[in-house]
Amino acid sequence: GEDVEQSLFLSVREGDSSVINCTYTDSSSTYLYWYKQEPGAGLQLLTYIFSNMDMKQDQRLTVLLNKKDKHLSLRIADTQTGDSAIYFCAEIPPGNTPLVFGKGTRLSVIA
Amino acid sequence: DAGVTQSPTHLIKTRGQQVTLRCSPISGHKSVSWYQQVLGQGPQFIFQYYEKEERGRGNFPDRFSARQFPNYSSELNVNALLLGDSALYLCASIPEVGEAFFGQGTRLTVV
């Protein structure tokens, strides 16, 4: 079966950088997304990257894409306690099919 | 510009009952998708609608049905509720290309 894979937990100290990794399933996926989910809330779109890009930076967020290895990462610089949440990686495989999500990485930020 | 709105936000139903969840997409977005998120898991695709037509269906039983209206809003119906249907139900509003935005979800509890 096809699975988007993420490590389940990550713990960092406030002020450090966080790197959340994801392995997706289809090298032809057109868009790759990162969503943030706080307790009891819906999904907040953080950023996304087109498959023809290697990197995208948006303020404290940096997304790196390695298409050969089907690896996506999200780096959060100067991690704050407000960044504590679950982060989901998602892809849209070819054929305008729906988003396929990983199980999420729970980021805990220690003050 | 309003975001994706879902109603109700919370719902408690008894086993065997029926439930209807509602979603209004972002203005100008013609595609709506529904996802089920069970506690501790990533969202799982249920349905996708585009221009009032079903474009995709996930691996869910026939008790789940949906429709999209001329104004692009959508309803998700679940019949004969089971305890396992307890979850956060998320609606995604999708433009022609690019970002998929989610509502805050409807938390359904079946007792």
Side-chain angles (χ1 to χ4, degrees):
Chain A
E2 298 179 347
D3 285 315
V4 175
E5 296 188 351
Q6 303 178 236
S7 52
L8 294 182
F9 299 99
L10 177 65
S11 181
V12 299
R13 293 198 176 278
E14 190 176 19
D16 288 350
S17 292
S18 308
V19 179
I20 302 172
N21 294 302
C22 168
T23 302
Y24 59 99
T25 65
D26 196 320
S27 59
S28 300
S29 288
T30 52
Y31 296 89
L32 296 136
Y33 299 81
W34 284 104
Y35 286 89
K36 175 183 180 183
Q37 187 175 40
E38 299 186 48
L43 298 173
Q44 175 193 352
L45 178 64
L46 286 178
T47 187
Y48 68 99
I49 189 167
F50 294 109
S51 58
N52 62 357
M53 299 169 65
D54 297 324
M55 185 184 85
K56 181 178 180 181
Q57 187 155 2
D58 184 1
Q59 300 182 335
R60 292 191 298 122
L61 305 179
T62 303
V63 178
L64 294 178
L65 175 61
N66 181 330
K67 285 184 66 177
K68 174 176 171 291
D69 295 335
K70 293 183 286 186
H71 185 265
L72 183 73
S73 68
L74 174 69
R75 178 178 181 268
I76 306 173
D78 188 23
T79 312
Q80 303 297 307
T81 55
D83 295 323
S84 293
I86 300 175
Y87 291 80
F88 290 96
C89 165
E91 63 174 335
I92 293 186
N96 195 29
T97 51
L99 284 164
V100 178
F101 286 85
K103 292 185 177 179
T105 298
R106 182 179 296 275
L107 174 64
S108 297
V109 182
I110 305 165
Chain B
D1 207 9
V4 183
T5 56
Q6 291 187 242
S7 63
T9 55
H10 295 81
L11 202 52
I12 299 175
K13 289 285 190 177
T14 305
R15 276 179 297 176
Q17 285 188 313
Q18 176 265 343
V19 69
T20 298
L21 311 180
R22 295 175 177 84
C23 172
S24 292
I26 294 169
S27 177
H29 289 190
K30 300 178 181 179
S31 181
V32 167
S33 292
W34 288 94
Y35 290 80
Q36 181 196 65
Q37 187 182 21
V38 174
L39 195 64
Q41 298 293 317
Q44 296 293 314
F45 170 69
I46 311 175
F47 283 109
Q48 182 176 11
Y49 276 79
Y50 178 78
E51 288 275 19
K52 303 182 292 295
E53 294 204 356
E54 182 182 304
R55 286 296 182 91
R57 182 187 182 112
N59 187 23
F60 280 82
D62 292 343
R63 299 184 296 108
F64 288 76
S65 63
R67 55 180 175 169
Q68 188 177 31
F69 298 99
N71 66 354
Y72 304 113
S73 67
S74 178
E75 287 183 350
L76 174 70
N77 296 285
V78 187
N79 293 323
L81 284 166
L82 303 174
L83 295 179
D85 295 330
S86 295
L88 180 67
Y89 288 84
L90 294 161
C91 172
S93 173
I94 306 165
E96 294 291 334
V97 290
E99 306 98 313
F101 294 97
F102 283 81
Q104 287 300 296
T106 294
R107 185 162 297 283
L108 172 65
T109 302
V110 182
V111 297

